[in-house]
Amino acid sequence: MTYEFELGDGTDVASMLERAREHAKGVGIALAGDAESGRFQGTAEGTYVVDGSSLKVEVTDKPGFVPWPMIESAVRKVFA
């Protein structure tokens, strides 16, 4: 089962991704990709695709005992 959501507040997506890379390093998440698409791997795994001024995020794997809202919140913190 996968979980999808969208991120974006109208800011420059490239800047958002650069901040996310720095934040991800500090919390043990591997974030690879460019200004079009990429992957992340940590406690949860997934992908992102840039769509205009937002990111479409798809979480593809997570620990079974962790609820989806908690995963979404953690991923949002990385990209915020």
Side-chain angles (χ1 to χ4, degrees):
M1 183 169 155
T2 64
Y3 184 79
E4 298 178 12
F5 57 95
E6 200 166 312
L7 297 167
D9 57 5
T11 61
D12 179 43
V13 174
S15 296
M16 183 190 319
L17 290 171
E18 187 59 37
R19 288 190 310 271
R21 280 186 193 88
E22 292 302 314
H23 183 78
K25 284 184 211 175
V27 294
I29 297 172
L31 180 61
D34 56 27
E36 294 181 17
S37 64
R39 300 189 55 75
F40 58 91
Q41 183 176 5
T43 301
E45 297 179 25
T47 61
Y48 71 84
V49 175
V50 176
D51 183 19
S53 63
S54 65
L55 292 177
K56 292 188 177 187
V57 177
E58 179 180 31
V59 179
T60 56
D61 191 31
K62 71 168 186 73
F65 62 90
V66 180
W68 285 113
M70 187 177 284
I71 295 294
E72 180 178 348
S73 176
V75 172
R76 284 184 181 277
K77 286 179 185 175
V78 171
F79 285 97

